[in-house]
Amino acid sequence: MPTKSPPLSAPHLWAVLLAAGSGSRLAQALAPAAEGAEPTRKQYLDLEGAPLFWKSARTLSRVQAVHGLVFVFPPKDVERMAALVVQLDESESLGLPWRICAGGARRQDSVRLGLAELPEDCSGVLVHDAARPFATAALVRRVAQALAGAALAAIPGLAVTDTIKAVDNNNVVVDTPDRASLRAVQTPQGFLLAPLVAAHQRAQAEGWEVTDDAALMERAGHPVVIVPGEEQNVKITTPADLALLSAPLNEAKPPRTGWGYDVHRYLHPNEADPKVLAQARPMMLGGVAIPGGPKVLAHSDGDTLLHALTDALLGIACAGDIGQLFPDTDQAFANMPSAVFVTEALRRVRAMGYRPVHADLTVIAQIPKLAPHKARMAAQIAQLLELAPGCVNVKATTEEGLGFTGEKRGLKAVAVVTALPG
Ligand code: CTP
Ligand code: MG
């Protein structure tokens, strides 16, 4: 039977994501920032509504072999970035542990400091430039697999198409290496941890200057294998590369559909228990008061329809369910208008880069008669979702006297929301 788990020899991998550079080549070439203001570092540029570095974090975290992530930021940004990563992780969980540390003056210093943050049980590392946001999960897997095999060091590389010249300080050519033997290398670069840490220590002690970690391993005498790189895995370096950030990414996001369901009990006419009576709320549906309806038992305002809508939105955001977000054991949510839940779920949908475009909802109840209220509920929900009135539909039905709704013991509601990226 095929197995998904890596071979026993596979190292326990974490990734170090380098985002501590100053982006000086890009900044120099762009218009100078306003007096006193610092130019935006390239790793913070916007890509699909999130900072550039987040794209790589997402990609790395999607690979099963990667067990955690160390973010390396410029020392004076660490605090601000820690708060931002918490926020990003909340709206779109990476699903793995992460740590943050300050980088150093040179790239190799940032790597060394990042390695020092790795947990004890980590035995292998993928070092990745945040400035390469287009690396795919397939590439990360390829590097990880090489490490799970025999490799001590594995890096992605591409054959070069230009002839490459070596020049002296006066720009005079001193050598033309055979193109067939050249590779342009990328990140993520994968290493077993112990030899990489040792190589960094030697570099520190002996003053080696390198531009990638593989070079340290080479100097320390370790073999470094090349795995096929990716054309699109460019490093954002100069203004010409910025066009890549605004071009739509290859992996067009598909639309999403969220579905929600909720049930509430009605207050029994003969109920005497004060605890139950304390939970009785006047009927609200879709943010609209339904006069004459039975009282609904709830912790919040008991708006069954908005609860179903909240769950549908959370479905789009892949953010769990309403009970997780707003536990009914939390006094803060007692008697809470359910519009608050909808608004928070909507914020999460947007944080994921989606916008709802349509909602279709159904209330299932034997009593009261809801037909007179449907249009107002639809209008209210459209307003909450910031949609045009024609984009929300509310239906009402009975279950023909069957089940708990038929016995007038409670009501249920379902909601379906469609969202598009953007
Ligand atoms: N990097 C880092 N710490 C440094 C220098 C670089 O973490 N002291 C990171 C960068 O943030 C980037 C990656 O290493 O993700 C590759 O470096 P590079 O493309 O050279 O970025 P910068 O050094 O920021 O840019 P520049 O060289 O133009 O200043
Ligand atoms: Mg640099």
Side-chain angles (χ1 to χ4, degrees):
M1 207 175 80
T3 166
K4 266 193 161 173
S5 51
L8 282 178
S9 61
H12 186 75
L13 278 186
W14 272 52
V16 169
L17 184 57
L18 294 175
S22 53
S24 53
R25 279 168 288 183
L26 190 63
Q28 260 164 28
L30 292 175
E35 187 96 21
E38 280 198 16
T40 301
R41 294 174 196 257
K42 62 185 180 184
Q43 57 271 43
Y44 306 149
L45 291 172
D46 181 84
L47 179 59
E48 295 181 313
L52 195 76
F53 70 79
W54 191 247
K55 176 83 178 140
S56 299
R58 246 191 243 150
T59 306
L60 289 161
S61 69
R62 233 179 274 147
V63 175
Q64 228 181 6
V66 177
H67 291 95
L69 211 56
V70 174
F71 293 89
V72 189
F73 290 115
K76 65 182 167 53
D77 294 348
V78 165
E79 217 169 295
R80 187 165 59 94
M81 286 302 134
L84 182 60
V85 171
V86 166
Q87 199 186 322
L88 289 164
D89 193 36
E90 241 169 40
S91 60
E92 188 194 358
S93 173
L94 292 176
L96 38 70
W98 49 263
R99 299 174 175 193
I100 287 186
C101 73
R106 302 167 301 174
R107 183 186 181 281
Q108 68 192 80
D109 301 318
S110 296
V111 177
R112 194 183 64 252
L113 293 163
L115 296 179
E117 286 301 310
L118 293 170
E120 285 269 302
D121 61 349
C122 173
S123 57
V125 66
L126 303 177
V127 179
H128 185 55
D129 292 338
R132 292 185 189 270
F134 305 116
T136 66
L139 178 64
V140 179
R141 258 179 236 118
R142 197 142 68 227
V143 175
Q145 266 158 16
L147 290 182
L152 222 72
I155 66 176
L158 288 176
V160 296
T161 49
D162 293 327
T163 295
I164 309 283
K165 303 283 184 190
V167 295
D168 65 14
N169 288 340
N170 302 316
N171 231 10
V172 173
V173 173
V174 292
D175 192 21
T176 305
D178 175 14
R179 190 169 67 189
S181 73
L182 294 175
R183 297 291 178 271
V185 305
Q186 312 177 334
T187 69
Q189 300 194 340
F191 308 95
L192 295 192
L193 189 58
L196 182 66
V197 169
H200 269 279
Q201 279 164 355
R202 268 190 76 184
Q204 188 69 348
E206 299 174 31
W208 301 349
E209 291 266 353
V210 293
T211 53
D212 77 344
D213 299 276
L216 294 180
M217 294 292 273
E218 295 154 38
R219 280 188 76 163
H222 299 301
V224 175
V225 301
I226 302 271
V227 300
E230 291 177 329
E231 288 290 350
Q232 92 266 16
N233 184 15
V234 292
K235 194 174 67 164
I236 303 296
T237 309
T238 64
D241 301 325
L242 293 179
L244 297 169
L245 302 182
S246 46
L249 298 183
N250 295 342
E251 37 172 299
K253 281 196 200 169
R256 288 191 174 187
T257 306
W259 190 83
Y261 173 73
D262 193 44
V263 168
H264 278 274
R265 276 195 293 150
Y266 289 155
L267 177 69
H268 192 277
N270 301 332
E271 182 62 61
D273 183 343
K275 271 200 206 133
V276 178
L277 287 169
Q279 297 249 302
R281 316 276 184 245
M283 185 181 267
M284 292 286 293
L285 281 174
V288 171
I290 311 290
K295 290 227 161 117
V296 173
L297 299 182
H299 181 66
S300 65
D301 69 356
D303 191 325
T304 315
L305 192 55
L306 291 192
H307 294 179
L309 177 62
T310 302
D311 262 355
L313 291 167
L314 293 176
I316 289 166
C318 281
D321 59 39
I322 190 169
Q324 246 169 284
L325 255 66
F326 309 106
D328 61 8
T329 47
D330 190 333
Q331 271 315 308
F333 304 126
N335 244 320
M336 179 73 89
S338 296
V340 172
F341 307 152
V342 174
T343 304
E344 171 58 17
L346 184 60
R347 187 188 71 74
R348 287 174 182 246
V349 168
R350 291 192 174 135
M352 287 287 277
Y354 280 89
R355 61 190 165 89
V357 291
H358 178 254
D360 186 23
L361 308 98
T362 305
V363 184
I364 300 132
Q366 194 71 34
I367 52 164
K369 221 174 172 30
L370 292 170
H373 307 291
K374 287 190 304 187
R376 270 203 306 146
M377 291 189 239
Q380 183 65 28
I381 289 169
Q383 216 170 54
L384 272 175
L385 296 179
E386 293 173 16
L387 287 178
C391 301
V392 175
N393 186 54
V394 172
K395 306 191 285 289
T397 184
T398 71
E399 289 187 302
E400 301 283 344
L402 296 169
F404 73 83
T405 67
E407 290 163 13
K408 304 174 190 169
R409 291 196 288 134
L411 82 170
K412 47 182 148 174
V414 294
V416 177
V417 178
T418 307
L420 295 177

